[in-house]
């Protein structure tokens, strides 16, 4: 059964709607992340992460830009800042060398407003008992907060994200991975977040992918269990081990800021990266 959510208005109190936990910045807590990690909910949406003058200012600075570059794994997707999963093992030193440059560039574009990935890091730091840091590998800081532009007509097909594919081989202690996107623009038609029930193993995922370099055919996974229409200014967390996708836009690009959240254990800090 597919559940479609049309971003119902909330007054700030937490609401529960089927498989989505909806909350506010003030009410967000570690319990929301734990429920997501346990599979009790499919998504956690945080209303109003960016609001008012800051949201208007960020939209003015990021929506409609044309200086974004092609995603290495699929050039039809555009972005500012590189994700670690995009770089080949031989280019990992370049990723770390460029990380500070990407952070500074995006903060300069956002100024005087706070860049959304910094807002997510503060939200997590204040909610998680042992705080949240920028992920570090051998004293090298990761970048966190890719600005993504999903152009009209482009289908972000069903896929999963996995620590083994999204992090270096080094043991950084990350045992689980969540993903979060902050929405700066959402098309009037299309651009919905789609989530399936399945948590395929890596072997099952490779089998579903077949000869494809990335993702799986929609026909191979059927209809999603949940469809969420994001709201501008909100953040949505998911467990990316579940198969998920973004429906094509039918009018204008979908603009988001995305990062991963690494979980080592409840008694250790979270770590963020892209």
């Amino acid at each position: 059964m597919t559940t479609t959510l049309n971003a119902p208005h909330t007054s700030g109190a937490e609401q529960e709607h089927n498989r989505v936990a909806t909350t506010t910045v003030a009410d967000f807590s570690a319990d929301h992340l734990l429920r997501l990690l346990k599979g009790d909910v499919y998504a956690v949406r945080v209303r109003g992460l960016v609001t008012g003058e800051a949201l208007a200012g960020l939209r003015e600075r990021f929506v409609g830009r044309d200086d974004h570059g092609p995603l290495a794994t699929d050039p039809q997707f555009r972005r500012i800042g590189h994700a670690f999963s995009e770089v080949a093992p031989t280019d990992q030193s370049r990723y770390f060398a460029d990380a500070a440059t990407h952070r500074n560039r995006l903060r300069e574009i956002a100024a005087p407003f706070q860049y959304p990935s910094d807002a997510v890091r503060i939200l997590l730091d204040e909610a998680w008992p042992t705080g949240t840091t920028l992920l570090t590998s051998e004293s090298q800081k990761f970048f966190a907060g890719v600005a993504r532009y999903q152009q009209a007509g482009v289908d972000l097909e069903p896929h999963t994200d996995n620590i083994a594919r999204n992090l270096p081989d080094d043991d950084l202690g990350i045992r689980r991975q969540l993903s979060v996107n902050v929405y700066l623009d959402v098309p009037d038609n299309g651009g919905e977040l789609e989530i399936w029930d399945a948590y395929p193993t890596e072997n099952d995922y490779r089998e579903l992918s077949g000869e494809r370099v990335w993702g799986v055919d929609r026909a191979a996974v059927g209809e999603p269990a949940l469809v969420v229409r994001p709201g501008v200014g909100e953040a949505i967390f998911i467990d990316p081990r579940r198969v998920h996708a973004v429906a094509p836009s039918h009018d204008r690009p979908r603009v988001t800021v995305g990062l991963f959240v690494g979980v080592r254990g409840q008694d250790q800090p979270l770590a963020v990266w892209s």
Side-chain angles (χ1 to χ4, degrees), residues 28 33 36 44 46 49 116-117 120-121 123-124 145-146 148 177-183 234-240 256-261 272-274:
F28 180 78
L33 300 180
L36 193 56
V44 174
V46 182
L49 182 76
S117 70
V120 169
R121 182 152 43 131
L123 178 77
L124 292 167
V146 175
R148 293 195 176 95
Q177 172 186 12
L178 301 176
S179 72
V180 53
N181 276 285
V182 181
Y183 295 83
E234 74 176 358
I236 299 182
F237 292 79
I238 66 169
D239 181 344
T256 61
V257 174
L259 56 156
F260 290 124
V261 182
V272 297
W273 81 97
S274 287

Side-chain angles (χ1 to χ4, degrees), residues 4-247:
T4 302
L5 303 179
N6 293 311
H9 174 73
T10 62
S11 60
E14 182 174 334
Q15 293 188 355
E16 186 79 27
H17 192 303
N18 293 332
R19 296 160 176 163
V20 180
T22 301
T23 187
T24 64
V25 171
D27 293 329
F28 180 78
S29 71
D31 183 60
H32 290 101
L33 300 180
L34 294 174
R35 293 174 66 192
L36 193 56
L37 289 164
K38 292 175 182 175
D40 295 342
V41 293
Y42 286 32
V44 174
R45 60 194 314 172
V46 182
R47 301 285 196 201
L49 182 76
V50 187
T51 60
E53 183 181 358
L55 179 58
L58 289 171
R59 285 170 52 80
E60 181 179 354
R61 287 157 176 76
F62 282 93
V63 176
R65 297 185 71 91
D66 59 6
D67 57 348
H68 34 68
L71 187 70
T73 51
D74 193 337
Q76 63 183 335
F77 293 96
R78 312 286 296 181
R79 51 94 179 98
I80 302 174
H82 293 173
F84 186 84
S85 58
E86 288 184 66
V87 301
T90 53
D91 291 334
Q92 290 181 2
S93 59
R94 181 184 168 193
Y95 167 87
F96 288 111
D98 291 344
T101 301
H102 293 315
R103 286 197 300 272
N104 292 335
R105 181 188 177 200
L106 286 160
R107 285 171 178 159
E108 287 171 1
I109 294 172
F113 305 106
Q114 184 181 51
Y115 188 57
S117 70
D118 293 329
V120 169
R121 182 152 43 131
I122 291 172
L123 178 77
L124 292 167
D125 187 49
E126 295 179 355
W128 194 254
T130 45
T132 300
T133 66
L134 191 60
L135 186 60
T136 303
S137 174
E138 298 180 347
S139 302
Q140 301 176 104
K141 298 287 185 181
F142 280 73
F143 162 66
V146 175
R148 293 195 176 95
Y149 295 76
Q150 184 177 348
Q151 306 293 81
V154 174
D155 186 359
L156 184 57
E157 294 176 300
H159 64 284
T160 65
D161 296 299
N162 183 285
I163 294 169
R165 285 181 262 129
N166 298 141
L167 283 176
D169 292 336
D170 318 357
D171 185 3
L172 301 177
I174 303 298
R175 299 293 174 255
R176 293 285 301 276
Q177 172 186 12
L178 301 176
S179 72
V180 53
N181 276 285
V182 181
Y183 295 83
L184 296 181
D185 200 21
V186 179
D188 293 328
N189 295 296
E192 295 89 356
L193 171 64
E194 303 168 310
I195 305 174
W196 280 258
D197 289 320
Y199 292 98
T201 65
E202 277 301 281
N203 287 338
D204 290 342
Y205 182 69
R206 281 195 288 270
E207 186 173 336
L208 278 171
S209 296
E211 299 299 319
R212 296 171 59 112
V213 175
W214 185 89
V216 301
D217 288 330
R218 286 183 174 274
V221 292
E223 293 296 318
L226 177 72
V227 178
V228 179
R229 179 161 182 75
V232 171
E234 74 176 358
I236 299 182
F237 292 79
I238 66 169
D239 181 344
R241 295 180 310 152
R242 285 190 194 273
V243 177
H244 57 284
V246 177

